Amino acid sequence: MEEKSTSVNVGGGGVNVNTGKGKPGGDTHVNVGGKGVGVNTGKPGGGTHVNDPDPFNYLYAASETQIHEDPNVALFFLEKDMHPGATMSLHFIENTEKSAFLPYQTAQKIPFSSDKLPEIFNKFSVKPGSVKAEMMKNTIKECEQPAIEGEEKYCATSLESMIDYSISKLGKVDQAVSTEVEKQTPMQKYTIAAGVQKMTDDKAVVCHKQNYAYAVFYCHKSETTRAYMVPLEGAGGTKAKALAVCHTDTSAWNPKHLAFQFLKVEPGTIPVCHFLPRDHIVWVPK
C-alpha cells in the first residue's frame, strides 16, 4: 500500500494526515487549527455511563443517570442566550487516550456492522462483554440507526471518507473547525466575550467523535443548522474558542432528548444550541 498524505484546511491551521503504510493504528494523525483534534478510544469520562445514549444523536431519550451526571449536559443552551457577557459553567474534557485514523484502504477491509461483532472483537483483541466491547457495540448500533427526518447521516471510518462525505454534501468545503481550549481545566464558569463569529447560516456537516477501537466519526448533514465560533473567558483566566451549533428545527428529535429535559423546552419551538467537545468537527461550505 502506497504511503500518501491527505491535506485539508482546518481552522486556518491546516490538517495534514500521514496515513502510514497501511498498518492499523500506524502513524496517522490529524491536526485541527494547530491545536490538534483529540481522538479518543472511549474510556467513559467522569460521570458518563457506557450505555448512555450519545447526546448528539437526537433520536434517543436521555437516561435518568445521564441527566444528572453526564458532563455534556452543560454544553446545551438556547440561541437567545448566546451574547457577550452571558455566563455558563462548562467543562471541555481533554481526551488522554488517542485512537488513530486507519488508512482508507485498511478501513474499507474491516467489517463495521452489528452482525460482524465477533469478528471485529477478535481483530482488535477486545473481550466480548467488556466495557470497550459494549461501547464499540453501541457505536455501531447508533451508526446503523436511520437518520432523523430532515437530516442525512454517515459514519466515517477514515479521514478520507469523512472528507469525501463532507464534499459530496456541501459541494466545496471552505474549512473545518473545532473547539480550541488553551489548557485542560476542571468545570468552571465561562463568560462569552465580544467577537462571536457566524461560520455558516444553514447548511453544514457536523462530525462527532465516537467511542471505538480506531477513529470513527458520526457525521450528519443538516439544512437547518447555524454554526458559530464563540470566544470564551474562564473564571480562572483560561481562554477558549468554542464551536457552537444551533439547530433551528428540532421537531423530529426525541421529546425526551437530553437537551429538552435540561433546557425545559419542547421540540420544534425554539432553536437549541450546544457547544461541541474538543474532538468534534464542523465542515463549513464555501
Side-chain angles (χ1 to χ4, degrees):
M1 199 174 293
E2 289 179 8
E3 185 170 332
K4 64 173 188 168
S5 182
T6 305
S7 236
V8 299
N9 185 39
V10 175
V15 171
N16 186 269
V17 178
N18 180 350
T19 55
K21 290 192 160 57
K23 190 172 63 176
D27 60 352
T28 305
H29 65 281
V30 50
N31 286 320
V32 175
K35 297 285 187 185
V37 171
V39 177
N40 176 19
T41 54
K43 273 192 179 168
T48 56
H49 293 253
V50 176
N51 291 314
D52 279 347
D54 180 353
F56 307 113
N57 186 325
Y58 310 116
L59 278 172
Y60 291 102
S63 69
E64 200 55 45
T65 53
Q66 193 176 20
I67 295 163
H68 300 295
E69 297 177 23
D70 189 338
N72 286 312
V73 171
L75 296 176
F76 287 93
F77 61 96
L78 298 176
E79 192 173 34
K80 67 183 180 66
D81 296 329
M82 185 172 52
H83 55 80
T87 59
M88 43 191 86
S89 292
L90 301 166
H91 185 196
F92 294 105
I93 298 164
E94 181 171 34
N95 293 315
T96 51
E97 276 202 36
K98 310 294 181 186
S99 61
F101 280 104
L102 294 185
Y104 175 77
Q105 294 93 335
T106 306
Q108 291 298 101
K109 293 174 186 166
I110 296 173
F112 188 80
S113 63
S114 293
D115 59 358
K116 299 280 195 205
L117 276 170
E119 186 183 335
I120 295 166
F121 292 157
N122 185 51
K123 182 167 186 67
F124 291 100
S125 304
V126 173
K127 186 181 174 188
S130 66
V131 168
K132 188 166 185 177
E134 285 304 302
M135 285 193 293
M136 289 171 66
K137 184 169 98 175
N138 287 349
T139 290
I140 291 179
K141 180 181 155 195
E142 290 188 4
C143 285
E144 290 172 341
Q145 290 279 354
I148 65 167
E149 192 181 334
E151 290 196 348
E152 298 174 51
K153 62 174 274 196
Y154 173 72
C155 280
T157 57
S158 68
L159 180 63
E160 290 90 341
S161 61
M162 179 163 60
I163 294 168
D164 288 347
Y165 175 76
S166 302
I167 291 171
S168 75
K169 296 302 169 190
L170 299 175
K172 289 186 175 171
V173 171
D174 181 42
Q175 58 181 325
V177 287
S178 64
T179 292
E180 296 176 16
V181 185
E182 272 184 345
K183 59 178 188 247
Q184 175 66 9
T185 57
M187 172 82 78
Q188 64 174 289
K189 187 169 280 189
Y190 283 91
T191 302
I192 297 179
V196 174
Q197 181 186 0
K198 186 184 276 189
M199 306 299 294
T200 176
D201 216 4
D202 49 15
K203 190 162 69 169
V205 169
V206 183
C207 294
H208 305 284
K209 177 67 188 64
Q210 300 301 293
N211 294 321
Y212 207 66
Y214 53 92
V216 171
F217 281 79
Y218 167 91
C219 298
H220 53 112
K221 177 231 179 184
S222 169
E223 303 274 355
T224 57
T225 298
R226 288 193 278 266
Y228 299 87
M229 190 57 82
V230 182
L232 297 171
E233 293 176 0
T238 303
K239 289 197 165 108
K241 283 164 66 179
L243 192 59
V245 173
C246 295
H247 301 270
T248 56
D249 182 5
T250 59
S251 54
W253 292 22
N254 189 308
K256 294 194 184 308
H257 185 272
L258 193 62
F260 301 134
Q261 300 203 47
F262 176 61
L263 298 171
K264 307 284 190 284
V265 295
E266 299 286 322
T269 55
I270 188 169
V272 168
C273 306
H274 56 82
F275 287 116
L276 285 176
R278 293 167 76 169
D279 50 3
H280 297 211
I281 302 170
V282 172
W283 298 83
V284 178
K286 268 195 174 164

